[in-house]
Amino acid sequence: MATSAMRGLQLTSQPARFRDGAEDHLEDVGLLEAYDRMERGHGMEQDGERGETATIEVRVTGMTCSACSSAVEGAVGFVDGVESVSVSLLQNRARVVFDLSVAQHSDITNAIEDAGFEAEILEDSSISESKSQKSLTGQFRIGGMTCAACVNSVECILKKLPGVKRAVVALATSLGEVEYDPSITTKDEIIVAVEDAGFEASLIQSNEHNKVLLAINGLLIDIDFHLLESILKDVRGVRDFSINKITAELQIIFDPEVAGLRSIVDSIETKSNGNIKLKVQNSYARAASNDAGQSAKMLRLFISSLLLSIPVFLLKVVCPKIHILSSLLLMRCGPIPFGDLMKWGLVSVIQFYIGKRFYIAAYRALRNGATNMDVLVCLGTSEAYIASVCALLYGSYTGFWPPTYFETSAMIITFVLFGKYLEVVAKGKTSDAIKKLVELAPATALLIVKDSGTSIEKEIDALLIQPGDVLKVIPGSKVPVDGTVVWGSSHIDESMVTGESAPVKKEVSSPVVGGTMNLHGLLHVHATKVGSDTVLSQIISLVETAQMSKAPIQKFADYVASIFVPTVVGLSFLTFMGWFICGSLNAYPESWIADSSNCFVFSLMFSISVVVIACPCALGLATPTAVMVATGVGAKHGILIKGGDALEKAKQIRYVIFDKTGTLTQGKAQVTNTKLYNGMETGEFLTLIASAEAGSEHPLAKAIVDYAYHHLFFDNISASQDEKRLAKEARSSKWLLEAQEFSALPGKGVQCFINAKKMLVGNRKLLNENRVAIPEEAENFLVGLEESSKTGILVAYDDVLVGVLGVSDPLKREAAIVIEGLRKMGAEPVMITGDNWRTARAVAKELNIQDVRAEVMPAGKANAVHSFQKDGSIVAMVGDGINDSPALAAADVGMAIGAGTDIAIEAADYVLMRNNLEEVITAIDLSRKTFRRIRLNYFFAMGYNVVAIPVAAGALFPFTGIKLPPWLAGGCMALSSVSVVCSSLLLRRYRKPRLPAILDME
């Protein structure tokens, strides 16, 4: 079952879904592999002098729990030359990276065998992770997309590339994630394909190698750049690099298996004699800078267009009413009046210089067989511009001067740019959650370096920290990375992760999480996880990936966007033809076209208004902006959502299935009753059962070991400090007996051999299978425990029952009210447990849960989930342990308690970081409010187009005389997409529901 400490937290950006194999044994489930690299030979590493490295996989036999895997990691980690070791408990394998010039294969197997396990090197296991992967996943930044049609175009292009297995593109974040086969296509070919389609593309990161961008200080002339290039070619671990002389930036791709980033930076600075200084550029900070640059660029374009449009507007409206200015404007410059010539020149700059971005984007879309908003803008403004130019040329040739509409083109572009600027600013606010998470990590850290027996403190960039570093954390500063305290004591505010405001005491060997605040006391922290492996980085990655995902409801918007522009162009043509034919047949009075000189221009203005007022962007932004804000709000409340699919399903959950132990209960079991049989003494009994349970990670096993220890060592000892120290020494000594052939039996208990006699600790099923008789007295005692909501544990030694333990695991304080709250929300709570029926029914009665499933094995939990899904109901599973992971994966919506195990978190769709059941209600409520907002966004977007297009086409003109000028239509179009984004931003005001309010619901 789950551990209660947060040190087990490991998040992944992509949930592993194994629905079809949910019934398989848990040994088939792969653990998340996290590499904890330990820095050895500090001086040798700084010089970058290391031998050839090798990677092997070793089958390890005899591991039964995470303590065993930790023992193997520790034993192998102390072998000279070993750079990293990762042990998978469920797969019984160890992966070791080591220096062939220092260590041999036999050294590693000997270390494992000396630790008490059997080791066998797997054949052909010398692999390199970055080269052996069948597929790679790369994240790309894609620029130039303006609406959902652009997204569809880019996705289609990427999916058509040979070797590409999956491609997802997000409009709101301008990011694309591509899974591809590196043996068929490369990241460069992907970038070229996107650029050939008319968009901008650049690689952000890939799981093949680490990519980093460094700012260069000290380069002045070409010879310095040549020096840097020559140094980089000789630096070990650097796979590729590129230097941008204009921005003074260095981009390198390196293999972390060969060299750490700090080693590479130190090597470059040392070989340049300190003339070249490098600073790591944070990718998130750079993305924020790009967003700021884009909004600044859009603002410059808008201001430039506005400054040029104002004179055009004055020349059209104000100047003709002033006699002196009117006479001046009528003066001829050749055959064309001076005023018209000025408007022509000013609008030409707006149309073709400031507005060239619309032409470029429209060309890209049309070249790829797609259409978007830019096509509509270009079509509408070009019609107005060309019609005005033709009117001038016609007047200069015939002397009859039709009205011009230069101001229409200018004002449309100005309004659209203004709307785009507001949209960029608003979209930037949807990613505030990630920005705030990034700001939690400190920029620098104090590295403790040992030199000639003395310790030297060195301030380094936090992004250059490597596993194995020892860091100094002073009071009032943030912990730079995940690690373990090796010296000092203090209290740390971990509310960032746990949501609990109470400070947590940290002593030697205590785990710490990067980004948390050290309140008081000095700490030395040994870095264990850095970069993308830290909890904070994985939370950021999870939120970012969720924001990239598409909810199923967005398929509707994508389909509408694909046919929207051709439909609008068709309606525009029908509008023109309808008004023009009616005018030619004198179907409406001539007074209607008095301001337009003829029915052609009169019809053309309606046609242009239809083209300009239609807005596909609003449809494209309706879902992604809401999902982005919702995932950010969820992270703020300690709920990590793994995608839009999970967010959409959660809104219609009908059944919520709860695991009992560690989910509904506190997971802090306590032994409350002990009854012995066959004359065995209490001390002997407790020593035997503690020795048997010491190898198990189950919460009940830990409770038994703690109970035995306290009974044996504390009951007869006072609370003085010296006596407590003696007790600790007693515990660290060999007070436990050796348990041989230990095996944990899921859903039953444990069995082993102690003193060559068989030891069984578990439930009735375990003893019945081993044909151990249970006396009537023991059975009655066991039934009494179960009816009082306690778990009874039977203990047999040498095939004879020797005792029964009663263990109580208190319910969480909020459990009962959460169960009732879910029922009020329309979701039926269900409890499923491997415990016996009497205990399960007693707990269910206390919580008022009607549907209970007891004595269920791990694979059976997944089957139970499937049984609720048969009628098409949406089922949520809330759990925290490894035995819950098949059910979490099988459920439509899996919710993992944040203090749970790695694999449970990997299999879930929601991670409830704060280990509080109230967050289940918050997750469902947030999902429902998000999709209400998405529906409202679609209502705005669809309603706007349904109403605006007929008005622009002149549907009201015959009855009310209301006519929408093209420039005003452009303003309406610009504000429509902004209104949708602002509607999504209102989700930032979300407040989690108060349970009393939920209970008052009808």
Side-chain angles (χ1 to χ4, degrees), residues 279-573:
K279 183 179 180 181
V280 181
Q281 299 280 70
N282 188 299
S283 60
Y284 295 104
R286 184 173 177 82
S289 176
N290 290 339
D291 292 340
Q294 185 179 2
S295 62
K297 178 182 178 182
M298 201 62 65
L299 180 61
R300 286 195 301 271
L301 289 174
F302 163 66
I303 292 176
S304 301
S305 182
L306 179 64
L307 292 176
L308 292 175
S309 297
I310 290 175
V312 175
F313 183 78
L314 294 176
L315 288 171
K316 174 70 175 181
V317 179
V318 179
C319 293
K321 298 180 180 179
I322 302 175
H323 181 69
I324 298 177
L325 294 177
S326 177
S327 302
L328 180 63
L329 295 177
L330 292 174
M331 294 178 58
R332 298 295 180 91
C333 290
I336 302 176
F338 175 71
D340 289 337
L341 195 61
M342 282 186 63
K343 286 189 286 184
W344 189 2
L346 291 171
V347 173
S348 295
V349 176
I350 297 172
Q351 184 76 31
F352 300 110
Y353 180 72
I354 297 175
K356 67 180 179 181
R357 65 179 305 278
F358 297 111
Y359 283 96
I360 294 173
Y363 168 72
R364 292 170 177 170
L366 293 173
R367 187 176 64 178
N368 292 287
T371 52
N372 57 17
M373 185 209 71
D374 298 294
V375 173
L376 296 178
V377 172
C378 289
L379 190 59
T381 56
S382 297
E383 285 179 359
Y385 180 84
I386 294 172
S388 301
V389 172
C390 290
L392 283 184
L393 297 177
Y394 178 79
S396 64
Y397 180 75
T398 64
F400 174 75
W401 298 95
T404 59
Y405 297 91
F406 284 118
E407 72 285 349
T408 295
S409 171
M411 295 303 290
I412 288 173
I413 291 176
T414 301
F415 278 126
V416 171
L417 288 174
F418 177 62
K420 281 294 175 186
Y421 168 70
L422 294 179
E423 184 182 317
V424 169
V425 173
K427 283 166 60 179
K429 293 184 181 296
T430 61
S431 59
D432 279 350
I434 289 181
K435 296 174 185 175
K436 290 179 180 178
L437 287 171
V438 172
E439 291 170 357
L440 291 174
T444 60
L446 290 174
L447 176 67
I448 299 177
V449 182
K450 291 186 177 181
D451 186 13
S452 302
T454 61
S455 296
I456 302 173
E457 295 179 10
K458 178 183 178 183
E459 186 175 20
I460 63 170
D461 191 324
L463 297 174
L464 293 178
I465 298 173
Q466 297 180 165
D469 287 344
V470 177
L471 308 166
K472 180 179 179 180
V473 185
I474 61 177
S477 64
K478 293 181 178 180
V479 179
V481 293
D482 296 1
T484 306
V485 176
V486 294
W487 181 87
S489 65
S490 180
H491 283 78
I492 288 182
D493 179 4
E494 293 188 338
S495 58
M496 174 201 83
V497 176
T498 64
E500 300 292 338
S501 57
V504 181
K505 187 175 182 180
K506 298 294 181 180
E507 297 177 323
V508 174
S509 299
S510 297
V512 291
V513 178
T516 55
M517 178 67 72
N518 180 22
L519 300 178
H520 59 78
L522 187 64
L523 295 176
H524 288 181
V525 175
H526 177 271
T528 57
K529 294 180 180 179
V530 302
S532 60
D533 291 334
T534 64
V535 169
L536 180 59
S537 295
Q538 292 187 33
I539 290 174
I540 293 171
S541 176
L542 192 58
V543 174
E544 189 176 46
T545 302
Q547 292 182 346
M548 283 186 62
S549 67
K550 287 186 177 181
I553 194 174
Q554 195 170 341
K555 294 178 181 178
F556 166 73
D558 293 342
Y559 170 73
V560 173
S562 65
I563 64 173
F564 187 88
V565 175
T567 302
V568 169
V569 173
L571 290 174
S572 173
F573 178 75

Side-chain angles (χ1 to χ4, degrees), residues 642-689:
K642 292 188 177 180
D645 187 15
L647 196 65
E648 181 168 347
K649 287 181 179 178
K651 70 180 174 61
Q652 48 190 357
I653 289 174
R654 183 176 178 187
Y655 296 101
V656 180
I657 302 177
F658 290 92
D659 171 52
K660 180 177 77 71
T661 306
T663 303
L664 291 173
T665 65
Q666 296 179 12
K668 299 176 182 177
Q670 295 179 344
V671 177
T672 58
N673 305 76
T674 306
K675 187 142 188 171
L676 304 181
Y677 302 93
N678 295 316
M680 181 175 284
E681 294 184 355
T682 303
E684 181 185 0
F685 172 76
L686 293 177
T687 301
L688 283 172
I689 192 172

